[in-house]
Amino acid sequence: MKLSDDGFDARRLRPRGSGNWRWRALGALAALFAACGVMLSMAGAATLLGRPPALGPLNDSAGAAIVLLLFGLFLLWGGVNVWRRCRRRMRRQYGNDLSLSPRLLKKRG
């Protein structure tokens, strides 16, 4: 690619970043935590509603079921928040649009 005399470099218009796999892996781990949170909260709610315990002796009392429900909801909330932050970071950092200078976007006239 030819560089002009005024210092313009076309490669700066589309920055290529490395490290996208880190955000993807963290997002996948967060989605896994959110899925585990759904399962744990469903098991705790099933015990509280009078169904047989889903996890055996781990949640056979009402207190243990409440703890399991709250821990599952917290895990779900944390997993969804981390997943959303990872997606936002990936889109902001590695967008498909051109990153033009504000000087180039001014209207001429």
Side-chain angles (χ1 to χ4, degrees):
M1 184 179 303
K2 182 179 176 183
L3 294 176
S4 62
D5 293 334
D6 60 351
F8 177 76
D9 185 11
R11 287 178 287 185
R12 288 184 296 160
L13 292 178
R14 288 192 186 269
R16 299 287 180 203
S18 62
N20 198 12
W21 62 272
R22 292 180 189 136
W23 294 112
R24 287 180 191 250
L26 188 62
L29 187 65
L32 184 66
F33 281 161
C36 288
V38 168
M39 296 294 184
L40 286 176
S41 59
M42 285 175 54
T47 301
L48 287 176
L49 293 174
R51 304 283 184 220
L55 298 176
L58 186 61
N59 66 339
D60 53 357
S61 68
I66 290 173
V67 168
L68 199 61
L69 177 69
L70 291 178
F71 182 69
L73 289 176
F74 177 73
L75 202 59
L76 172 66
W77 175 77
V80 167
N81 276 342
V82 171
W83 179 73
R84 288 180 68 205
R85 285 184 184 181
C86 288
R87 280 186 52 92
R88 191 177 305 139
R89 182 72 58 100
M90 280 191 309
R91 285 185 179 192
R92 182 179 59 192
Q93 194 171 11
Y94 305 109
N96 292 331
D97 54 344
L98 293 175
S99 54
L100 293 174
S101 163
R103 182 180 57 88
L104 296 175
L105 296 176
K106 288 182 181 176
K107 291 184 178 178
R108 306 200 184 244

